[in-house]
Coordinates of all heavy atoms in Angstrom, one line a residue:
Chain A
K117 N -37.3 4.8 7.9 CA -38.5 4.8 8.8 C -38.9 3.4 9.2 O -39.1 3.2 10.4 CB -39.6 5.5 8.0 CG -40.8 5.7 8.9 CD -42.0 6.3 8.3 CE -43.2 6.3 9.2 NZ -44.4 6.8 8.6
A118 N -38.9 2.5 8.3 CA -39.3 1.1 8.7 C -38.3 0.6 9.7 O -38.7 -0.1 10.7 CB -39.3 0.2 7.4
R119 N -37.0 0.8 9.5 CA -36.0 0.4 10.5 C -36.2 1.0 11.9 O -36.2 0.3 12.9 CB -34.6 0.7 9.9 CG -33.5 0.3 10.8 CD -33.3 -1.2 10.8 NE -32.7 -1.7 9.6 CZ -31.4 -2.0 9.5 NH1 -30.6 -1.9 10.5 NH2 -30.9 -2.4 8.3
A120 N -36.5 2.3 11.9 CA -36.7 3.0 13.2 C -38.0 2.4 13.9 O -38.0 2.2 15.1 CB -36.8 4.5 12.9
Q121 N -39.0 2.2 13.0 CA -40.2 1.7 13.6 C -40.0 0.3 14.3 O -40.5 0.1 15.4 CB -41.2 1.5 12.4 CG -42.7 1.5 12.9 CD -43.2 2.9 13.0 OE1 -43.2 3.6 12.1 NE2 -43.7 3.2 14.2
K122 N -39.2 -0.5 13.6 CA -38.9 -1.8 14.1 C -38.1 -1.7 15.4 O -38.3 -2.4 16.4 CB -38.1 -2.6 13.1 CG -37.9 -4.1 13.5 CD -37.2 -4.9 12.4 CE -36.9 -6.3 13.0 NZ -36.1 -6.3 14.2
R123 N -37.2 -0.8 15.4 CA -36.3 -0.5 16.6 C -37.2 -0.1 17.8 O -37.0 -0.5 18.9 CB -35.3 0.5 16.2 CG -34.3 0.9 17.3 CD -33.4 2.0 16.8 NE -32.9 2.8 17.8 CZ -31.7 2.6 18.4 NH1 -30.9 1.6 18.1 NH2 -31.3 3.4 19.4
L124 N -38.2 0.8 17.5 CA -39.1 1.2 18.5 C -39.8 0.1 19.1 O -40.0 -0.1 20.4 CB -40.1 2.2 17.8 CG -40.9 3.2 18.7 CD1 -39.9 4.1 19.4 CD2 -41.8 4.0 17.9
D125 N -40.3 -0.9 18.3 CA -41.0 -2.1 18.8 C -40.1 -2.9 19.6 O -40.4 -3.4 20.7 CB -41.5 -2.9 17.6 CG -42.6 -2.1 16.8 OD1 -43.1 -1.2 17.3 OD2 -42.8 -2.5 15.7
D126 N -38.8 -3.1 19.2 CA -37.8 -3.8 19.9 C -37.6 -3.2 21.3 O -37.6 -3.9 22.3 CB -36.5 -3.8 19.2 CG -36.4 -4.7 18.0 OD1 -37.4 -5.4 17.7 OD2 -35.4 -4.6 17.3
L127 N -37.5 -1.9 21.3 CA -37.2 -1.3 22.6 C -38.4 -1.4 23.6 O -38.2 -1.6 24.8 CB -37.0 0.3 22.3 CG -35.6 0.6 21.7 CD1 -35.6 2.1 21.3 CD2 -34.5 0.4 22.7
K128 N -39.6 -1.4 23.0 CA -40.7 -1.5 23.9 C -40.9 -2.8 24.6 O -41.5 -2.8 25.7 CB -42.0 -1.2 23.1 CG -42.2 0.3 22.9 CD -43.4 0.6 22.0 CE -43.7 2.1 21.8 NZ -44.5 2.4 20.7
C129 N -40.4 -3.8 24.0 CA -40.5 -5.1 24.7 C -39.2 -5.7 25.1 O -38.9 -6.9 25.1 CB -41.3 -6.1 23.9 SG -40.6 -6.4 22.3
L130 N -38.3 -4.8 25.6 CA -37.0 -5.2 26.0 C -37.0 -5.7 27.4 O -37.6 -5.1 28.3 CB -36.0 -4.0 26.0 CG -34.6 -4.2 25.6 CD1 -34.5 -4.9 24.2 CD2 -33.9 -2.8 25.5
P131 N -36.5 -6.9 27.7 CA -36.5 -7.4 29.1 C -35.5 -6.6 30.0 O -34.5 -6.1 29.5 CB -36.0 -8.9 29.0 CG -35.2 -8.9 27.8 CD -35.7 -7.8 26.8
P132 N -35.8 -6.5 31.3 CA -34.8 -5.8 32.2 C -33.5 -6.6 32.3 O -33.5 -7.8 32.1 CB -35.6 -5.7 33.5 CG -36.6 -6.8 33.5 CD -36.9 -7.0 32.0
V133 N -32.4 -5.9 32.7 CA -31.2 -6.5 32.8 C -31.1 -7.3 34.1 O -31.3 -6.7 35.2 CB -30.0 -5.4 32.9 CG1 -28.7 -6.1 33.0 CG2 -30.1 -4.5 31.8
A134 N -30.9 -8.6 34.1 CA -30.8 -9.4 35.2 C -31.9 -9.1 36.2 O -31.7 -9.0 37.4 CB -29.5 -9.1 35.9
D135 N -33.2 -9.0 35.7 CA -34.3 -8.8 36.6 C -34.1 -7.5 37.4 O -34.7 -7.4 38.5 CB -34.7 -10.0 37.4 CG -34.7 -11.2 36.6 OD1 -35.3 -11.2 35.5 OD2 -34.0 -12.2 37.0
N136 N -33.3 -6.6 37.0 CA -33.0 -5.4 37.8 C -33.6 -4.2 37.0 O -32.9 -3.7 36.2 CB -31.5 -5.4 37.9 CG -31.1 -4.3 39.0 OD1 -31.9 -3.4 39.3 ND2 -29.9 -4.5 39.5
P137 N -34.8 -3.9 37.3 CA -35.5 -2.9 36.5 C -34.9 -1.5 36.5 O -35.1 -0.7 35.6 CB -36.9 -2.9 37.1 CG -36.8 -3.4 38.5 CD -35.6 -4.3 38.5
K138 N -34.1 -1.2 37.5 CA -33.4 0.1 37.5 C -32.5 0.3 36.3 O -32.5 1.3 35.6 CB -32.5 0.2 38.7 CG -33.2 0.4 40.0 CD -32.4 1.1 41.1 CE -31.0 0.6 41.2 NZ -30.9 -0.7 42.0
F139 N -31.7 -0.8 36.0 CA -30.7 -0.7 34.9 C -31.3 -0.6 33.6 O -32.2 -1.4 33.3 CB -29.7 -1.8 35.0 CG -28.7 -1.5 36.1 CD1 -28.9 -1.9 37.4 CD2 -27.6 -0.7 35.8 CE1 -28.0 -1.6 38.4 CE2 -26.7 -0.4 36.8 CZ -26.9 -0.8 38.1
G140 N -30.9 0.2 32.8 CA -31.3 0.3 31.4 C -32.6 1.2 31.3 O -32.9 1.6 30.2
K141 N -33.2 1.6 32.4 CA -34.4 2.3 32.3 C -34.2 3.7 31.6 O -34.9 4.0 30.7 CB -34.9 2.6 33.8 CG -36.3 3.1 33.8 CD -36.8 3.3 35.3 CE -36.5 4.8 35.7 NZ -36.9 5.0 37.2
Y142 N -33.2 4.4 32.1 CA -32.9 5.7 31.5 C -32.4 5.6 30.0 O -32.8 6.4 29.2 CB -31.9 6.4 32.3 CG -32.3 6.7 33.7 CD1 -31.7 6.1 34.8 CD2 -33.4 7.6 34.0 CE1 -32.1 6.3 36.1 CE2 -33.8 7.8 35.3 CZ -33.2 7.2 36.3 OH -33.6 7.4 37.6

Side-chain angles (χ1 to χ4, degrees):
Chain A
K117 184 180 172 183
R119 181 68 77 98
Q121 203 83 57
K122 188 175 174 306
R123 184 180 151 94
L124 202 60
D125 296 342
D126 285 355
L127 285 171
K128 277 177 181 161
C129 55
L130 216 56
V133 183
D135 312 312
N136 192 337
K138 286 205 312 286
F139 281 90
K141 191 179 97 183
Y142 298 112

